[in-house]
Amino acid sequence: MAAFMLARLDWKAALRIVLVVALANGGGNLLGSLIPNASPATGGMWASISGIVVLQATHGEAGSAAFKRVLGTLIGAVLSWLYLDFFPVAWPGVLVCLFLTVLVCQGLRVPDNGRLGCITVLVVLVVAELHPSLPPLANAGLRFTESTLGSLVALLVAWLWPYPAGR
């Protein structure tokens, strides 16, 4: 029974994710280490998450996911940066920022990007609370750059190592 179960496991799918995470994490860590008061571990984690979200079976599907990820992250990063320029991190303000992120995405006719934008808002605001000496623009800029990096890594892996159709 165990041999049968092992034969059905798709180690190639797992290896693709491991490859994306290893590359994205390394790049995100490097980015974070270049900015004073930034957290390299946060950068690696955020780039890795973006890579996992974007990695799809084919380059075309990954391209669509990457576009949504990067645009949603841009909207969330800009709104959270603007919020932090005027207000300290407080949950009522965070909720307003999330609400505005969804409305902006709807207004730009990219409503699916609202969820990804909201995730970015939460990450930027939590990082602001954990690392108050990190300037808001640097925080939001890093999150956008790390998300873009993770998305590009996933696109590259999907292009170089497409996943068989139907899986």
Side-chain angles (χ1 to χ4, degrees):
M1 179 84 167
F4 174 73
M5 294 297 287
L6 287 177
R8 300 192 74 212
L9 297 178
D10 190 352
W11 63 269
K12 290 179 184 178
L15 193 55
R16 286 175 86 227
I17 289 175
V18 167
L19 180 61
V20 166
V21 169
L23 295 171
N25 187 61
N29 268 288
L30 179 62
L31 281 172
S33 70
L34 299 175
I35 307 295
N37 303 314
S39 167
T42 300
M45 176 194 65
W46 193 233
S48 296
I49 289 170
S50 296
I52 292 168
V53 167
V54 168
L55 187 62
Q56 303 292 322
T58 67
H59 187 257
E61 291 169 338
S64 175
F67 176 77
K68 287 180 182 178
R69 178 69 179 174
V70 171
L71 182 58
T73 299
L74 177 63
I75 292 166
V78 167
L79 289 174
S80 57
W81 162 52
L82 292 172
Y83 170 82
L84 288 171
D85 262 357
F86 294 100
F87 306 104
V89 178
W91 272 104
V94 171
L95 297 175
V96 169
C97 197
L98 293 169
F99 182 78
L100 292 174
T101 299
V102 173
L103 291 182
V104 167
C105 288
Q106 289 175 354
L108 293 173
R109 297 178 189 234
V110 289
D112 289 345
N113 301 51
R115 293 175 296 114
L116 298 169
C118 286
I119 293 168
T120 301
V121 167
L122 291 171
V123 171
V124 170
L125 296 178
V126 166
V127 169
E129 198 165 32
L130 294 173
H131 303 281
S133 59
L134 181 63
L137 180 58
N139 181 0
L142 277 169
R143 303 303 77 88
F144 173 73
T145 305
E146 294 150 1
S147 182
T148 302
L149 173 71
S151 296
L152 290 173
V153 168
L155 279 173
L156 181 65
V157 169
W159 182 59
L160 294 175
W161 191 359
Y163 199 64
R167 287 205 178 174

